[in-house]
Every structure is written in C-alpha cells, then in structure tokens.
Amino acid sequence: VQLQASGGGLVQAGGSLRLSCAASGRTFSSVVMGWFRQAPGKERAFVAAISASGGGTFYANSVKGRFAISRDNAKNTVYLQMNNLKSEDTAVYYCAAKNFGGSLYHTAGYDYWGQGTEFTVSS
C-alpha cells in the first residue's frame, strides 16, 4: 500500500480543515487506516483510526468531538475532518495502514505510512 496525504496549510484557531489520504493498492478496502500526528519535539501520536468497512471509528481523547475520520473505499481515500482547531493541533499529520497484529493506538501497529502533511493553527 502506498499512501499520499494532502490538505495541510495554515488555519486560524477555531477553524476547520480536512485532510485526505489517497491509497494505492488493491487491499485498501480490507485495511484499518489511521491518522497520527507529530508536533515539533514530540513523538508521533495517535489521532484517529477507522475500521476497514468504515463502521468503527476510534479517537484520541484530545480530538474526540472535534475530529472525524471517514473513508471512501471506492476512491481508496481516507479523510480526517478537523473542526474547532486549536494551536495544540499544529503538527505534521500522517496517515497509515495498519498491520494485522499490532496495537491500534501505537505506531508499531502500522506497516505503511504516508509522507505527512503539515498544518499550523494560528491563534
């Protein structure tokens, strides 16, 4: 699976942004997908994940109620809709495809990573 994330930029606090991650490969519709983020000087951290069918979603507490992950298997794309953005959301965001045995919430649970897309929330 190859992943290409897009949608970063500059947004004001309280604003919204949607990230996209386009995947190549025939197995996209059978793969759990996740979003992680890495702020300057910090480790990469879990943001959200979605089951292969899209019926199950999972969020970090810090984004619950503000972010929404979704996917369109016909387009091989996963999205991250981010609302009510805060300065602490500033980071490089990565999409990732999960492997079968690892944790949903940790980077070790994902085998394939996109290149990352960066956005900054200005206050």
Side-chain angles (χ1 to χ4, degrees), residues 50-114:
I50 187 166
S51 65
S53 68
T57 56
F58 311 86
Y59 298 95
N61 287 336
S62 58
V63 306
K64 201 171 294 184
R66 299 188 299 121
F67 289 13
I69 188 171
S70 62
R71 67 191 296 162
D72 185 337
N73 285 344
K75 296 182 178 180
N76 277 15
T77 303
V78 62
Y79 305 97
L80 186 67
Q81 176 67 42
M82 304 176 291
N83 300 320
N84 190 21
L85 285 164
K86 305 175 181 181
S87 57
E88 52 263 42
D89 295 319
T90 294
V92 177
Y93 282 70
Y94 299 88
C95 60
K98 192 180 176 307
N99 59 44
F100 289 107
S103 167
L104 188 69
Y105 303 101
H106 297 94
T107 57
Y110 295 77
D111 281 341
Y112 301 96
W113 293 85

